[in-house]
Structures are given as C-alpha cells and as structure tokens.
C-alpha cells in the first residue's frame, strides 16, 4: 500500500472522532471518578482493617486474596490517571498517579506511563511495543527464530506456563520500577524513589508486625502472586493472539488500533473486574475517554467499523483466553517437532 493511500484512509478516524465528540463521550466524568477513587481507597482500608483484625492466623491468606483485588483496582485507577481520563491537566494527574501508583501499590509512575504510552503508539508491534518484547514469552515465529536462553527454553510449552508466569508479574513491576529510577536521565528520581520506598516501608512493616515470620512470608507470596495474576489476566485478553505488526506493516491509525485489539464481553461484572479495559478497541482509539463512556462508544465504533469493512473482534472472557493460549501454543510448535 502506498503512503498516499495510508494518509487518505487516515480520514476514516477523523470521521469517527467527530461522531464520538458530538456524542459527548470525551467529556470528563468528575463525579464518577470521585466515587470510584473513594471506593478504591475504602476497599484497601477495609482489607487492611480485616488483616489486623484476623491477626496472626492462616485465615490471613484469604485477606491476601481480597487485597490482591483491591490493589488491582488501584492499578486500574492509576491507568486512567495516566491517560488523563480523570483530570484534563497533567499536573493533578501526576500527583494523584504517584500517590495511587508509587505509594499505594509500588508501581513506578514515570516508568509505567512511558512504557504504556509506547504500547499505545504501536500496539502489538514487534519492534516498538514493550508489551510484546520477547523477554520471557515469544509472541511470533520471527521472535522464536531469534530467541535464545530462557524465552526459547520456555517457548515449547509457553501456553501452559503463561498463567503461572503471571504470578511473578507484580514482582516484575516492582523491580522494573526501581531499575528505571537508576537509569541515566530518569525524571523525578528522588521523589519517586522516596514514594516507592515509602510503599514497601508501610507494606512490609504492617505484615511483619502483625504476622509471625512464616505467616508473613506466606502472606507476601500469596498477595503478590494473586496481584500479579489479576493484573496480567486483565491485560492478556486484550491483545494476545491478535495480529502482530512489523516495520513492513502499513496501517492507518484506526486500523492499527482496531486490528490489534480485542474486546471482552460480559456485562457489569466484567466491566468492574477488568476496570473497563474489556472495551479495549474503544480505549485504544480514544485513550483519554473516561472509562464509563467506553461502553456507550462501543456500538458507535462497532457499526462504523462494519461500514468500513474493518474486522472488529469480540469474545467472552474464556474465549479470549483460549485465543491467546492457542496463539502461544502455535508459536512454540516448531520446537515441539
């Protein structure tokens, strides 16, 4: 496809954007976010109160599961703050993001927003999307041919190992957040370092004060494993198993975002559990659209794509996992022969 053809098709998104804007779906929702952020804080506080009340008991592992969900919800709010969905200006968004992200759940704000911005700019692009880098999992046959070490070792049965690997995702986020602060040119290094360290100070102090050492380690392992599994399980259905792009791919903005994303059906329960990320196509097309507006944008986007003949992928939660895992299994097939 020629460059001029791509530019001409770029007007397709402009027409869709006008429809969305005219429907008022890019307007901020301050009352919604005030309620949602308050509920997130209350959920974490309730979990911490329950943790202290249960005390030095193995039942505290049930509290660990509840707090994994609560931390995940804080992560979703941090995500929305990073996209300027809550506040129009970056200043308030950054302040709130550092409180919820760095101090609340141990997620480095500057590192994560940079990484996630690059993902949105080039979703599923093998050269530019950090979410499909072959650090542990390989996502395509080209990556498989170039793989070495651990990724190649795991690739043979990576579909079976995918969810167990996600139990390490929270630790990966914590470690990557710290490592980013010690790179040359890191922004606001000392502020973010203080906030991250503050998170682990209150988190570990509470755990090891209330629980005996063995139970404290068990709580830490269960909570972080389930937290990582929860976060990873909400992001995995959105792009995994969808087409991957390379430098040879020539797509306009609308097609690049729609063809690499998948929506997850399921109603209100899925909306809450996935923090609105189940409307991934709409979110990628309009990253700063407030989460509660995404479901209203869906029929507009779906009908528009149908009129253009652009495939619009939807699946149930289990079906989306099945597509992702089958893709991973097919990628590793050459190693099983």
């Amino acid at each position: 496809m020629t460059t001029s053809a791509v530019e001409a098709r770029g007007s397709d998104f402009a027409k869709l954007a006008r429809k969305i804007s005219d429907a008022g779906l890019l307007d901020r929702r301050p009352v919604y976010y005030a309620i949602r952020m308050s509920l997130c804080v209350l959920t974490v506080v309730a979990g911490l109160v329950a943790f202290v009340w249960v005390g030095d008991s193995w039942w505290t592992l049930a509290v660990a599961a509840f707090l994994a969900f609560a931390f995940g919800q804080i992560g979703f709010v941090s995500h929305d703050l990073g996209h300027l969905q809550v506040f129009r200006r970056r200043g308030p968004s950054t302040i709130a993001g550092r409180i919820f992200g760095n101090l609340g759940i141990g997620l480095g704000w500057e590192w994560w927003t940079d990484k996630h911005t690059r993902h949105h700019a080039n979703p599923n692009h093998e050269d530019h999307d950090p979410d499909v880098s072959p650090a542990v999992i390989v996502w395509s046959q080209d990556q498989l041919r170039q793989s070495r070490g651990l990724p190649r070792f795991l690739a043979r049965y990576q579909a079976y190992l995918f969810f167990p690997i996600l139990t390490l995702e929270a630790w990966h986020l914590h470690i990557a957040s710290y490592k980013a602060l010690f790179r040359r040119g890191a922004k606001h290094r000392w502020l973010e370092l203080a906030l991250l360290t503050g998170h682990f100070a209150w988190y570990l102090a509470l755990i090891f004060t209330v629980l005996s050492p063995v139970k404290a380690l068990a709580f830490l392992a269960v909570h972080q494993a389930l937290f990582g599994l929860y976060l990873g399980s909400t992001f995995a259905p959105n792009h995994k198993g969808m087409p991957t792009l390379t430098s040879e791919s020539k797509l306009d903005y609308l097609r690049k975002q729609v063809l690499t994303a998948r929506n997850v059906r399921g109603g209100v329960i899925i909306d809450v559990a996935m923090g609105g990320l189940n409307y991934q196509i709409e979110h990628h097309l309009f990253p700063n659209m407030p989460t509660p507006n995404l479901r209203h944008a869906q029929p507009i986007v779906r009908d528009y794509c149908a009129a253009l003949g652009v495939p619009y992928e939807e699946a149930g939660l289990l079906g989306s996992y099945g597509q992702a895992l089958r893709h991973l299994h097919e990628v590793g097939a050459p190693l099983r022969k």
Side-chain angles (χ1 to χ4, degrees), residues 4 26 40 67 74 99 105 123 188 233 247 270 287 291 299 304 332 337:
S4 59
L26 297 178
C40 283
L67 279 172
I74 293 290
I99 293 172
I105 60 175
H188 308 287
S233 296
S247 57
I270 294 297
T291 292
Y304 189 76
K337 293 180 180 179

Side-chain angles (χ1 to χ4, degrees), residues 18 40 43 49 131 139 147 159 183 195 242 286:
R18 282 195 294 272
C40 283
T43 302
V49 170
D131 288 353
W139 306 101
S147 63
R183 294 175 187 156
L195 291 171
M242 297 302 292
F286 303 97

Side-chain angles (χ1 to χ4, degrees), residues 271-325:
D271 289 359
V272 173
M274 298 188 67
L277 295 177
N278 45 312
Y279 301 104
Q280 190 69 191
I281 295 173
E282 289 70 30
H283 170 58
H284 260 258
L285 286 170
F286 303 97
N288 64 339
M289 180 183 291
T291 292
N293 293 350
L294 293 171
R295 66 186 181 90
H296 300 294
Q298 184 185 30
I300 299 174
V301 173
R302 184 170 50 201
D303 292 347
Y304 189 76
C305 287
L308 291 177
V310 176
Y312 181 100
E313 181 67 27
E314 291 182 276
L317 183 62
L318 295 181
S320 67
Y321 287 144
Q323 291 180 36
L325 294 177

Side-chain angles (χ1 to χ4, degrees), residues 10 30 46-47 61 88 133 177 186 192 198 213 227 252 278 294:
L61 298 185
R88 289 189 180 277
S133 65
S177 296
E192 293 227 355
F227 177 34
D252 64 322
N278 45 312
L294 293 171

